[in-house]
Amino acid sequence: MTTLLLLGPAREAAGVARDEFVGATIDEILDAAIARYGEAFTRVLAVSQVWLNGEATSRDAPVGPQDEVVVLPPISGG
Amino acid sequence: MAAERALDWVAISPDPLDAGALERWARRPAYGAVVTFCGTPRTSSTHDHDVVALEYETEPTLAEARLRAVSDEARRRWPELGAIVLHHRVGSVALLESAVVVVVSSPHRDAAFDAARFCIDALKRSVPMWKREVWVGGSAWSEEGQTIVSARDL
């Protein structure tokens, strides 16, 4: 299972901060997340960045059981 | 949650930030300039309400790694720097409390001012952090959204 971290507004839209999914690529993980969380999450995801293990990557990047995919909506820090 | 080295101290903290104590930590005999920046909640809002507090949220491990990338980049640009402190609070931060504290010490003031300015700007653009504006009777995510960039690219 690949870990999915959901931060800030993505956490709120999904209703969870951390979840697990089966998929071969980031795209497959995100498709499964959309199916699980629904419309509000889909809207947040559309404007979010997605990182793999703390770094930006492309959404067709392969993932494995030890990997951590992170959904990062636009930030408002400081 | 603190990650302390001899001259770098980055942290994501649920506890109040004590800017005076952090500044004292950054004072060293070799460095004659110490610049401290505190970011505090302001009453004006992106939602047309008077803000009474901000609630900050992040993933601490991820955020501390990005804070360290900011301090590393500042050292690359200003090799003469002394101490660098980058602390960001999470949870509810009331008016007048510090949400973020940056302290930079250096042999001379030019590098201390320039590096401190770089550190707060880079922190705000490169560290994953989200804030809710809280007012009497409600709250909502800040609408200041920006895409996260790398400190090296700023």
mmCIF file of all heavy atoms in Angstrom, chain A residues 5-12 18 47 49 51 53-56 68 70-78, chain B residues 56-59 62 66 88 99-100 123-132 141-142 144-148:
data_model
loop_
_atom_site.group_PDB
_atom_site.id
_atom_site.type_symbol
_atom_site.label_atom_id
_atom_site.label_comp_id
_atom_site.label_asym_id
_atom_site.label_seq_id
_atom_site.Cartn_x
_atom_site.Cartn_y
_atom_site.Cartn_z
ATOM 1 N N LEU A 5 -0.639 11.407 1.858
ATOM 2 C CA LEU A 5 -0.777 12.458 2.877
ATOM 3 C C LEU A 5 -1.599 13.600 2.292
ATOM 4 O O LEU A 5 -1.340 14.047 1.170
ATOM 5 C CB LEU A 5 0.592 13.024 3.269
ATOM 6 C CG LEU A 5 1.483 12.237 4.196
ATOM 7 C CD1 LEU A 5 2.737 13.067 4.508
ATOM 8 C CD2 LEU A 5 0.754 11.898 5.468
ATOM 9 N N LEU A 6 -2.562 14.077 3.080
ATOM 10 C CA LEU A 6 -3.464 15.132 2.610
ATOM 11 C C LEU A 6 -3.328 16.310 3.563
ATOM 12 O O LEU A 6 -3.593 16.186 4.757
ATOM 13 C CB LEU A 6 -4.889 14.592 2.590
ATOM 14 C CG LEU A 6 -5.006 13.353 1.689
ATOM 15 C CD1 LEU A 6 -5.787 12.267 2.364
ATOM 16 C CD2 LEU A 6 -5.588 13.726 0.350
ATOM 17 N N LEU A 7 -2.897 17.445 3.032
ATOM 18 C CA LEU A 7 -2.530 18.570 3.892
ATOM 19 C C LEU A 7 -3.489 19.747 3.731
ATOM 20 O O LEU A 7 -3.996 20.008 2.635
ATOM 21 C CB LEU A 7 -1.102 19.012 3.573
ATOM 22 C CG LEU A 7 -0.036 17.914 3.697
ATOM 23 C CD1 LEU A 7 1.351 18.477 3.403
ATOM 24 C CD2 LEU A 7 -0.062 17.274 5.067
ATOM 25 N N GLY A 8 -3.713 20.466 4.808
ATOM 26 C CA GLY A 8 -4.503 21.701 4.784
ATOM 27 C C GLY A 8 -5.894 21.472 4.190
ATOM 28 O O GLY A 8 -6.626 20.581 4.613
ATOM 29 N N PRO A 9 -6.251 22.298 3.201
ATOM 30 C CA PRO A 9 -7.575 22.152 2.591
ATOM 31 C C PRO A 9 -7.812 20.772 1.967
ATOM 32 O O PRO A 9 -8.959 20.324 1.879
ATOM 33 C CB PRO A 9 -7.570 23.249 1.512
ATOM 34 C CG PRO A 9 -6.619 24.277 2.032
ATOM 35 C CD PRO A 9 -5.540 23.498 2.736
ATOM 36 N N ALA A 10 -6.751 20.087 1.550
ATOM 37 C CA ALA A 10 -6.924 18.733 0.998
ATOM 38 C C ALA A 10 -7.346 17.765 2.101
ATOM 39 O O ALA A 10 -8.183 16.874 1.882
ATOM 40 C CB ALA A 10 -5.630 18.257 0.331
ATOM 41 N N ARG A 11 -6.773 17.929 3.283
ATOM 42 C CA ARG A 11 -7.179 17.113 4.431
ATOM 43 C C ARG A 11 -8.648 17.343 4.769
ATOM 44 O O ARG A 11 -9.415 16.407 4.988
ATOM 45 C CB ARG A 11 -6.320 17.446 5.653
ATOM 46 C CG ARG A 11 -6.808 16.780 6.933
ATOM 47 C CD ARG A 11 -6.268 17.438 8.183
ATOM 48 N NE ARG A 11 -6.557 18.845 8.277
ATOM 49 C CZ ARG A 11 -7.765 19.371 8.549
ATOM 50 N NH1 ARG A 11 -8.804 18.582 8.743
ATOM 51 N NH2 ARG A 11 -7.925 20.679 8.605
ATOM 52 N N GLU A 12 -9.016 18.629 4.762
ATOM 53 C CA GLU A 12 -10.405 18.954 5.099
ATOM 54 C C GLU A 12 -11.377 18.364 4.067
ATOM 55 O O GLU A 12 -12.414 17.802 4.424
ATOM 56 C CB GLU A 12 -10.556 20.468 5.159
ATOM 57 C CG GLU A 12 -11.920 20.923 5.627
ATOM 58 C CD GLU A 12 -11.958 22.437 5.753
ATOM 59 O OE1 GLU A 12 -11.832 23.131 4.730
ATOM 60 O OE2 GLU A 12 -12.103 22.913 6.882
ATOM 61 N N ARG A 18 -4.296 11.132 6.406
ATOM 62 C CA ARG A 18 -3.379 10.094 5.913
ATOM 63 C C ARG A 18 -4.226 8.899 5.523
ATOM 64 O O ARG A 18 -5.165 8.532 6.235
ATOM 65 C CB ARG A 18 -2.404 9.721 7.033
ATOM 66 C CG ARG A 18 -1.394 8.635 6.705
ATOM 67 C CD ARG A 18 -0.553 8.328 7.936
ATOM 68 N NE ARG A 18 0.340 9.429 8.282
ATOM 69 C CZ ARG A 18 1.610 9.512 7.883
ATOM 70 N NH1 ARG A 18 2.147 8.552 7.156
ATOM 71 N NH2 ARG A 18 2.338 10.557 8.229
ATOM 72 N N VAL A 47 -6.139 22.153 -8.089
ATOM 73 C CA VAL A 47 -5.240 23.305 -7.933
ATOM 74 C C VAL A 47 -4.025 22.964 -7.064
ATOM 75 O O VAL A 47 -3.262 23.848 -6.675
ATOM 76 C CB VAL A 47 -5.980 24.514 -7.323
ATOM 77 C CG1 VAL A 47 -7.081 24.990 -8.267
ATOM 78 C CG2 VAL A 47 -6.565 24.192 -5.956
ATOM 79 N N GLN A 49 -0.406 20.854 -5.832
ATOM 80 C CA GLN A 49 0.799 20.165 -6.266
ATOM 81 C C GLN A 49 0.811 18.776 -5.637
ATOM 82 O O GLN A 49 0.239 18.568 -4.566
ATOM 83 C CB GLN A 49 2.039 20.934 -5.806
ATOM 84 C CG GLN A 49 2.210 22.268 -6.520
ATOM 85 C CD GLN A 49 3.253 23.135 -5.831
ATOM 86 O OE1 GLN A 49 2.941 23.842 -4.880
ATOM 87 N NE2 GLN A 49 4.484 23.090 -6.297
ATOM 88 N N TRP A 51 3.546 15.757 -4.534
ATOM 89 C CA TRP A 51 4.951 15.384 -4.354
ATOM 90 C C TRP A 51 5.046 13.893 -4.065
ATOM 91 O O TRP A 51 4.090 13.266 -3.564
ATOM 92 C CB TRP A 51 5.569 16.127 -3.164
ATOM 93 C CG TRP A 51 5.777 17.588 -3.370
ATOM 94 C CD1 TRP A 51 5.525 18.329 -4.492
ATOM 95 C CD2 TRP A 51 6.288 18.514 -2.384
ATOM 96 N NE1 TRP A 51 5.840 19.651 -4.264
ATOM 97 C CE2 TRP A 51 6.310 19.791 -2.999
ATOM 98 C CE3 TRP A 51 6.731 18.374 -1.070
ATOM 99 C CZ2 TRP A 51 6.769 20.921 -2.315
ATOM 100 C CZ3 TRP A 51 7.181 19.500 -0.399
ATOM 101 C CH2 TRP A 51 7.206 20.755 -1.020
ATOM 102 N N ASN A 53 7.568 11.476 -1.879
ATOM 103 C CA ASN A 53 8.656 11.411 -0.893
ATOM 104 C C ASN A 53 9.343 12.769 -0.698
ATOM 105 O O ASN A 53 10.563 12.870 -0.654
ATOM 106 C CB ASN A 53 9.679 10.351 -1.303
ATOM 107 C CG ASN A 53 9.040 8.986 -1.443
ATOM 108 O OD1 ASN A 53 8.147 8.627 -0.676
ATOM 109 N ND2 ASN A 53 9.451 8.224 -2.439
ATOM 110 N N GLY A 54 8.521 13.812 -0.585
ATOM 111 C CA GLY A 54 9.046 15.126 -0.247
ATOM 112 C C GLY A 54 9.540 15.954 -1.409
ATOM 113 O O GLY A 54 10.019 17.072 -1.212
ATOM 114 N N GLU A 55 9.426 15.437 -2.640
ATOM 115 C CA GLU A 55 9.929 16.182 -3.796
ATOM 116 C C GLU A 55 8.873 16.221 -4.899
ATOM 117 O O GLU A 55 8.117 15.267 -5.084
ATOM 118 C CB GLU A 55 11.189 15.507 -4.361
ATOM 119 C CG GLU A 55 12.358 15.440 -3.390
ATOM 120 C CD GLU A 55 12.931 16.801 -3.033
ATOM 121 O OE1 GLU A 55 12.747 17.744 -3.836
ATOM 122 O OE2 GLU A 55 13.538 16.928 -1.953
ATOM 123 N N ALA A 56 8.887 17.326 -5.653
ATOM 124 C CA ALA A 56 7.985 17.435 -6.796
ATOM 125 C C ALA A 56 8.336 16.362 -7.826
ATOM 126 O O ALA A 56 9.502 16.009 -8.007
ATOM 127 C CB ALA A 56 8.110 18.819 -7.415
ATOM 128 N N GLU A 68 5.518 7.656 -0.317
ATOM 129 C CA GLU A 68 4.565 8.571 0.282
ATOM 130 C C GLU A 68 4.225 9.660 -0.743
ATOM 131 O O GLU A 68 5.089 10.422 -1.154
ATOM 132 C CB GLU A 68 5.197 9.197 1.533
ATOM 133 C CG GLU A 68 4.260 10.057 2.355
ATOM 134 C CD GLU A 68 4.944 10.527 3.639
ATOM 135 O OE1 GLU A 68 5.701 11.514 3.566
ATOM 136 O OE2 GLU A 68 4.743 9.903 4.687
ATOM 137 N N VAL A 70 2.105 13.066 -1.537
ATOM 138 C CA VAL A 70 1.587 14.171 -0.732
ATOM 139 C C VAL A 70 0.809 15.135 -1.623
ATOM 140 O O VAL A 70 1.316 15.568 -2.663
ATOM 141 C CB VAL A 70 2.733 14.947 -0.037
ATOM 142 C CG1 VAL A 70 2.165 15.925 0.979
ATOM 143 C CG2 VAL A 70 3.715 13.999 0.619
ATOM 144 N N VAL A 71 -0.400 15.483 -1.197
ATOM 145 C CA VAL A 71 -1.219 16.479 -1.914
ATOM 146 C C VAL A 71 -1.088 17.815 -1.189
ATOM 147 O O VAL A 71 -1.432 17.926 -0.004
ATOM 148 C CB VAL A 71 -2.689 16.045 -1.974
ATOM 149 C CG1 VAL A 71 -3.536 17.118 -2.670
ATOM 150 C CG2 VAL A 71 -2.825 14.705 -2.698
ATOM 151 N N LEU A 72 -0.571 18.837 -1.910
ATOM 152 C CA LEU A 72 -0.284 20.145 -1.308
ATOM 153 C C LEU A 72 -1.075 21.237 -2.025
ATOM 154 O O LEU A 72 -0.676 21.692 -3.102
ATOM 155 C CB LEU A 72 1.204 20.448 -1.400
ATOM 156 C CG LEU A 72 2.131 19.394 -0.802
ATOM 157 C CD1 LEU A 72 2.893 18.666 -1.905
ATOM 158 C CD2 LEU A 72 3.100 20.019 0.177
ATOM 159 N N PRO A 73 -2.165 21.690 -1.455
ATOM 160 C CA PRO A 73 -2.889 22.825 -2.029
ATOM 161 C C PRO A 73 -2.023 24.082 -1.973
ATOM 162 O O PRO A 73 -1.001 24.110 -1.283
ATOM 163 C CB PRO A 73 -4.111 22.964 -1.107
ATOM 164 C CG PRO A 73 -4.237 21.640 -0.419
ATOM 165 C CD PRO A 73 -2.832 21.140 -0.274
ATOM 166 N N PRO A 74 -2.411 25.149 -2.684
ATOM 167 C CA PRO A 74 -1.656 26.406 -2.598
ATOM 168 C C PRO A 74 -1.473 26.832 -1.142
ATOM 169 O O PRO A 74 -2.396 26.709 -0.333
ATOM 170 C CB PRO A 74 -2.551 27.388 -3.356
ATOM 171 C CG PRO A 74 -3.298 26.522 -4.323
ATOM 172 C CD PRO A 74 -3.542 25.236 -3.599
ATOM 173 N N ILE A 75 -0.282 27.338 -0.828
ATOM 174 C CA ILE A 75 0.061 27.601 0.571
ATOM 175 C C ILE A 75 -0.283 29.035 0.971
ATOM 176 O O ILE A 75 -0.414 29.924 0.131
ATOM 177 C CB ILE A 75 1.553 27.336 0.859
ATOM 178 C CG1 ILE A 75 2.460 28.121 -0.095
ATOM 179 C CG2 ILE A 75 1.830 25.862 0.804
ATOM 180 C CD1 ILE A 75 3.932 28.066 0.273
ATOM 181 N N SER A 76 -0.353 29.238 2.280
ATOM 182 C CA SER A 76 -0.626 30.573 2.836
ATOM 183 C C SER A 76 0.110 30.708 4.160
ATOM 184 O O SER A 76 -0.471 31.016 5.172
ATOM 185 C CB SER A 76 -2.126 30.741 3.055
ATOM 186 O OG SER A 76 -2.620 29.674 3.853
ATOM 187 N N GLY A 77 1.418 30.439 4.131
ATOM 188 C CA GLY A 77 2.165 30.350 5.390
ATOM 189 C C GLY A 77 2.690 31.688 5.884
ATOM 190 O O GLY A 77 2.446 32.730 5.296
ATOM 191 N N GLY A 78 3.423 31.626 6.975
ATOM 192 C CA GLY A 78 4.141 32.769 7.502
ATOM 193 C C GLY A 78 3.264 33.786 8.185
ATOM 194 O O GLY A 78 2.090 33.586 8.365
ATOM 195 N N TYR B 56 -2.581 27.462 12.141
ATOM 196 C CA TYR B 56 -1.621 26.974 11.160
ATOM 197 C C TYR B 56 -1.571 25.453 11.178
ATOM 198 O O TYR B 56 -1.647 24.828 12.236
ATOM 199 C CB TYR B 56 -0.224 27.525 11.462
ATOM 200 C CG TYR B 56 -0.074 28.981 11.151
ATOM 201 C CD1 TYR B 56 -0.336 29.947 12.104
ATOM 202 C CD2 TYR B 56 0.317 29.399 9.884
ATOM 203 C CE1 TYR B 56 -0.198 31.293 11.813
ATOM 204 C CE2 TYR B 56 0.464 30.742 9.585
ATOM 205 C CZ TYR B 56 0.207 31.683 10.547
ATOM 206 O OH TYR B 56 0.341 33.008 10.260
ATOM 207 N N GLU B 57 -1.376 24.906 9.995
ATOM 208 C CA GLU B 57 -1.370 23.446 9.857
ATOM 209 C C GLU B 57 -0.309 23.037 8.839
ATOM 210 O O GLU B 57 -0.167 23.682 7.799
ATOM 211 C CB GLU B 57 -2.762 23.023 9.374
ATOM 212 C CG GLU B 57 -2.926 21.554 9.100
ATOM 213 C CD GLU B 57 -4.374 21.194 8.763
ATOM 214 O OE1 GLU B 57 -5.305 21.894 9.247
ATOM 215 O OE2 GLU B 57 -4.573 20.228 8.019
ATOM 216 N N THR B 58 0.432 21.984 9.162
ATOM 217 C CA THR B 58 1.405 21.441 8.206
ATOM 218 C C THR B 58 1.682 20.002 8.556
ATOM 219 O O THR B 58 1.071 19.431 9.467
ATOM 220 C CB THR B 58 2.713 22.254 8.215
ATOM 221 O OG1 THR B 58 3.541 21.796 7.132
ATOM 222 C CG2 THR B 58 3.475 22.118 9.518
ATOM 223 N N GLU B 59 2.620 19.408 7.841
ATOM 224 C CA GLU B 59 3.158 18.088 8.194
ATOM 225 C C GLU B 59 4.584 18.375 8.665
ATOM 226 O O GLU B 59 5.439 18.767 7.866
ATOM 227 C CB GLU B 59 3.119 17.168 6.970
ATOM 228 C CG GLU B 59 3.147 15.693 7.307
ATOM 229 C CD GLU B 59 4.500 15.282 7.866
ATOM 230 O OE1 GLU B 59 5.501 15.518 7.186
ATOM 231 O OE2 GLU B 59 4.554 14.746 8.994
ATOM 232 N N LEU B 62 7.937 17.148 6.824
ATOM 233 C CA LEU B 62 8.069 17.762 5.500
ATOM 234 C C LEU B 62 8.442 19.237 5.632
ATOM 235 O O LEU B 62 9.332 19.738 4.942
ATOM 236 C CB LEU B 62 6.712 17.623 4.799
ATOM 237 C CG LEU B 62 6.628 17.626 3.287
ATOM 238 C CD1 LEU B 62 7.486 16.528 2.696
ATOM 239 C CD2 LEU B 62 5.167 17.448 2.868
ATOM 240 N N ARG B 66 11.953 21.452 4.547
ATOM 241 C CA ARG B 66 11.938 22.642 3.689
ATOM 242 C C ARG B 66 12.545 23.849 4.407
ATOM 243 O O ARG B 66 13.185 24.697 3.776
ATOM 244 C CB ARG B 66 10.517 22.942 3.226
ATOM 245 C CG ARG B 66 9.882 21.826 2.427
ATOM 246 C CD ARG B 66 10.472 21.662 1.078
ATOM 247 N NE ARG B 66 9.991 22.645 0.140
ATOM 248 C CZ ARG B 66 10.124 22.547 -1.183
ATOM 249 N NH1 ARG B 66 10.741 21.499 -1.717
ATOM 250 N NH2 ARG B 66 9.658 23.477 -1.976
ATOM 251 N N HIS B 88 8.598 28.062 12.963
ATOM 252 C CA HIS B 88 7.215 28.353 12.593
ATOM 253 C C HIS B 88 6.284 27.635 13.549
ATOM 254 O O HIS B 88 6.472 26.458 13.838
ATOM 255 C CB HIS B 88 6.921 27.918 11.157
ATOM 256 C CG HIS B 88 5.771 28.670 10.543
ATOM 257 N ND1 HIS B 88 4.506 28.691 11.089
ATOM 258 C CD2 HIS B 88 5.719 29.448 9.433
ATOM 259 C CE1 HIS B 88 3.713 29.440 10.328
ATOM 260 N NE2 HIS B 88 4.423 29.914 9.321
ATOM 261 N N ALA B 99 3.806 33.968 14.870
ATOM 262 C CA ALA B 99 3.545 32.759 14.081
ATOM 263 C C ALA B 99 4.844 32.227 13.491
ATOM 264 O O ALA B 99 4.998 31.032 13.267
ATOM 265 C CB ALA B 99 2.554 33.061 12.970
ATOM 266 N N VAL B 100 5.766 33.152 13.218
ATOM 267 C CA VAL B 100 7.042 32.756 12.623
ATOM 268 C C VAL B 100 8.124 33.680 13.172
ATOM 269 O O VAL B 100 7.876 34.875 13.382
ATOM 270 C CB VAL B 100 6.971 32.810 11.075
ATOM 271 C CG1 VAL B 100 6.578 34.185 10.576
ATOM 272 C CG2 VAL B 100 8.277 32.371 10.435
ATOM 273 N N LEU B 123 10.874 31.276 3.074
ATOM 274 C CA LEU B 123 10.036 30.440 3.944
ATOM 275 C C LEU B 123 8.576 30.509 3.493
ATOM 276 O O LEU B 123 7.893 29.489 3.359
ATOM 277 C CB LEU B 123 10.214 30.928 5.381
ATOM 278 C CG LEU B 123 9.498 30.234 6.525
ATOM 279 C CD1 LEU B 123 10.245 30.504 7.828
ATOM 280 C CD2 LEU B 123 8.051 30.675 6.682
ATOM 281 N N LYS B 124 8.117 31.727 3.230
ATOM 282 C CA LYS B 124 6.701 31.881 2.883
ATOM 283 C C LYS B 124 6.364 31.276 1.527
ATOM 284 O O LYS B 124 5.212 30.943 1.276
ATOM 285 C CB LYS B 124 6.309 33.364 2.915
ATOM 286 C CG LYS B 124 6.233 33.906 4.345
ATOM 287 C CD LYS B 124 5.955 35.393 4.381
ATOM 288 C CE LYS B 124 4.496 35.711 4.234
ATOM 289 N NZ LYS B 124 3.797 35.819 5.516
ATOM 290 N N ARG B 125 7.356 31.137 0.647
ATOM 291 C CA ARG B 125 7.094 30.591 -0.686
ATOM 292 C C ARG B 125 7.407 29.111 -0.809
ATOM 293 O O ARG B 125 6.932 28.460 -1.745
ATOM 294 C CB ARG B 125 7.934 31.361 -1.725
ATOM 295 C CG ARG B 125 7.616 32.841 -1.863
ATOM 296 C CD ARG B 125 6.292 33.102 -2.569
ATOM 297 N NE ARG B 125 6.157 32.340 -3.802
ATOM 298 C CZ ARG B 125 6.710 32.671 -4.975
ATOM 299 N NH1 ARG B 125 7.445 33.753 -5.069
ATOM 300 N NH2 ARG B 125 6.505 31.934 -6.043
ATOM 301 N N SER B 126 8.235 28.570 0.085
ATOM 302 C CA SER B 126 8.746 27.210 -0.157
ATOM 303 C C SER B 126 8.399 26.204 0.926
ATOM 304 O O SER B 126 8.690 25.015 0.763
ATOM 305 C CB SER B 126 10.274 27.257 -0.331
ATOM 306 O OG SER B 126 10.919 27.545 0.885
ATOM 307 N N VAL B 127 7.808 26.649 2.038
ATOM 308 C CA VAL B 127 7.488 25.709 3.128
ATOM 309 C C VAL B 127 5.989 25.411 3.106
ATOM 310 O O VAL B 127 5.184 26.349 3.133
ATOM 311 C CB VAL B 127 7.887 26.296 4.495
ATOM 312 C CG1 VAL B 127 7.489 25.352 5.625
ATOM 313 C CG2 VAL B 127 9.387 26.569 4.526
ATOM 314 N N PRO B 128 5.602 24.145 3.032
ATOM 315 C CA PRO B 128 4.173 23.829 3.029
ATOM 316 C C PRO B 128 3.529 24.215 4.356
ATOM 317 O O PRO B 128 3.904 23.690 5.404
ATOM 318 C CB PRO B 128 4.122 22.313 2.793
ATOM 319 C CG PRO B 128 5.479 21.801 3.041
ATOM 320 C CD PRO B 128 6.447 22.951 2.924
ATOM 321 N N MET B 129 2.611 25.160 4.302
ATOM 322 C CA MET B 129 1.962 25.674 5.517
ATOM 323 C C MET B 129 0.622 26.281 5.102
ATOM 324 O O MET B 129 0.551 26.986 4.101
ATOM 325 C CB MET B 129 2.859 26.733 6.163
ATOM 326 C CG MET B 129 2.362 27.290 7.483
ATOM 327 S SD MET B 129 2.360 26.084 8.819
ATOM 328 C CE MET B 129 4.127 25.824 9.088
ATOM 329 N N TRP B 130 -0.398 25.971 5.885
ATOM 330 C CA TRP B 130 -1.733 26.497 5.571
ATOM 331 C C TRP B 130 -2.289 27.174 6.804
ATOM 332 O O TRP B 130 -2.071 26.717 7.929
ATOM 333 C CB TRP B 130 -2.663 25.362 5.133
ATOM 334 C CG TRP B 130 -2.220 24.792 3.835
ATOM 335 C CD1 TRP B 130 -2.617 25.179 2.590
ATOM 336 C CD2 TRP B 130 -1.239 23.760 3.633
ATOM 337 N NE1 TRP B 130 -1.942 24.460 1.630
ATOM 338 C CE2 TRP B 130 -1.090 23.582 2.242
ATOM 339 C CE3 TRP B 130 -0.452 22.971 4.481
ATOM 340 C CZ2 TRP B 130 -0.219 22.661 1.685
ATOM 341 C CZ3 TRP B 130 0.418 22.051 3.930
ATOM 342 C CH2 TRP B 130 0.531 21.901 2.559
ATOM 343 N N LYS B 131 -3.032 28.271 6.594
ATOM 344 C CA LYS B 131 -3.594 28.957 7.757
ATOM 345 C C LYS B 131 -5.084 29.215 7.556
ATOM 346 O O LYS B 131 -5.538 29.565 6.460
ATOM 347 C CB LYS B 131 -2.857 30.257 8.042
ATOM 348 C CG LYS B 131 -3.011 31.356 7.028
ATOM 349 C CD LYS B 131 -2.168 32.567 7.434
ATOM 350 C CE LYS B 131 -2.179 33.621 6.352
ATOM 351 N NZ LYS B 131 -1.015 34.507 6.401
ATOM 352 N N ARG B 132 -5.801 29.047 8.642
ATOM 353 C CA ARG B 132 -7.212 29.438 8.680
ATOM 354 C C ARG B 132 -7.304 30.761 9.406
ATOM 355 O O ARG B 132 -6.646 30.964 10.439
ATOM 356 C CB ARG B 132 -8.055 28.403 9.441
ATOM 357 C CG ARG B 132 -8.233 27.097 8.729
ATOM 358 C CD ARG B 132 -9.193 26.195 9.494
ATOM 359 N NE ARG B 132 -10.570 26.624 9.346
ATOM 360 C CZ ARG B 132 -11.357 26.271 8.338
ATOM 361 N NH1 ARG B 132 -10.902 25.475 7.385
ATOM 362 N NH2 ARG B 132 -12.590 26.695 8.284
ATOM 363 N N TRP B 141 -10.210 29.037 5.431
ATOM 364 C CA TRP B 141 -8.835 29.050 4.932
ATOM 365 C C TRP B 141 -8.532 30.416 4.346
ATOM 366 O O TRP B 141 -9.375 31.017 3.667
ATOM 367 C CB TRP B 141 -8.636 27.983 3.849
ATOM 368 C CG TRP B 141 -8.781 26.587 4.355
ATOM 369 C CD1 TRP B 141 -9.818 25.745 4.117
ATOM 370 C CD2 TRP B 141 -7.864 25.872 5.186
ATOM 371 N NE1 TRP B 141 -9.605 24.547 4.764
ATOM 372 C CE2 TRP B 141 -8.419 24.590 5.416
ATOM 373 C CE3 TRP B 141 -6.633 26.188 5.756
ATOM 374 C CZ2 TRP B 141 -7.773 23.631 6.206
ATOM 375 C CZ3 TRP B 141 -5.994 25.225 6.539
ATOM 376 C CH2 TRP B 141 -6.566 23.978 6.747
ATOM 377 N N SER B 142 -7.321 30.896 4.584
ATOM 378 C CA SER B 142 -6.854 32.124 3.953
ATOM 379 C C SER B 142 -6.907 31.969 2.436
ATOM 380 O O SER B 142 -6.641 30.899 1.900
ATOM 381 C CB SER B 142 -5.428 32.418 4.393
ATOM 382 O OG SER B 142 -4.872 33.414 3.577
ATOM 383 N N GLU B 144 -4.917 33.517 0.431
ATOM 384 C CA GLU B 144 -3.625 33.980 -0.096
ATOM 385 C C GLU B 144 -2.880 32.900 -0.866
ATOM 386 O O GLU B 144 -1.677 32.920 -0.906
ATOM 387 C CB GLU B 144 -2.700 34.367 1.070
ATOM 388 C CG GLU B 144 -2.955 35.691 1.728
ATOM 389 C CD GLU B 144 -2.086 35.870 2.961
ATOM 390 O OE1 GLU B 144 -1.142 35.084 3.162
ATOM 391 O OE2 GLU B 144 -2.365 36.801 3.721
ATOM 392 N N GLY B 145 -3.519 31.911 -1.419
ATOM 393 C CA GLY B 145 -2.832 30.727 -1.930
ATOM 394 C C GLY B 145 -1.743 30.975 -2.951
ATOM 395 O O GLY B 145 -1.927 31.719 -3.906
ATOM 396 N N GLN B 146 -0.582 30.344 -2.742
ATOM 397 C CA GLN B 146 0.526 30.412 -3.686
ATOM 398 C C GLN B 146 1.054 29.004 -3.951
ATOM 399 O O GLN B 146 1.063 28.163 -3.053
ATOM 400 C CB GLN B 146 1.692 31.221 -3.104
ATOM 401 C CG GLN B 146 1.383 32.668 -2.835
ATOM 402 C CD GLN B 146 2.678 33.424 -2.570
ATOM 403 O OE1 GLN B 146 3.443 33.698 -3.470
ATOM 404 N NE2 GLN B 146 2.917 33.732 -1.317
ATOM 405 N N THR B 147 1.543 28.809 -5.168
ATOM 406 C CA THR B 147 2.184 27.545 -5.499
ATOM 407 C C THR B 147 3.515 27.434 -4.764
ATOM 408 O O THR B 147 4.246 28.419 -4.655
ATOM 409 C CB THR B 147 2.432 27.470 -7.018
ATOM 410 O OG1 THR B 147 1.181 27.605 -7.672
ATOM 411 C CG2 THR B 147 3.061 26.148 -7.405
ATOM 412 N N ILE B 148 3.830 26.248 -4.256
ATOM 413 C CA ILE B 148 5.085 26.044 -3.529
ATOM 414 C C ILE B 148 6.253 25.984 -4.518
ATOM 415 O O ILE B 148 6.177 25.289 -5.532
ATOM 416 C CB ILE B 148 5.024 24.730 -2.724
ATOM 417 C CG1 ILE B 148 3.829 24.749 -1.768
ATOM 418 C CG2 ILE B 148 6.326 24.511 -1.955
ATOM 419 C CD1 ILE B 148 3.534 23.395 -1.144
#
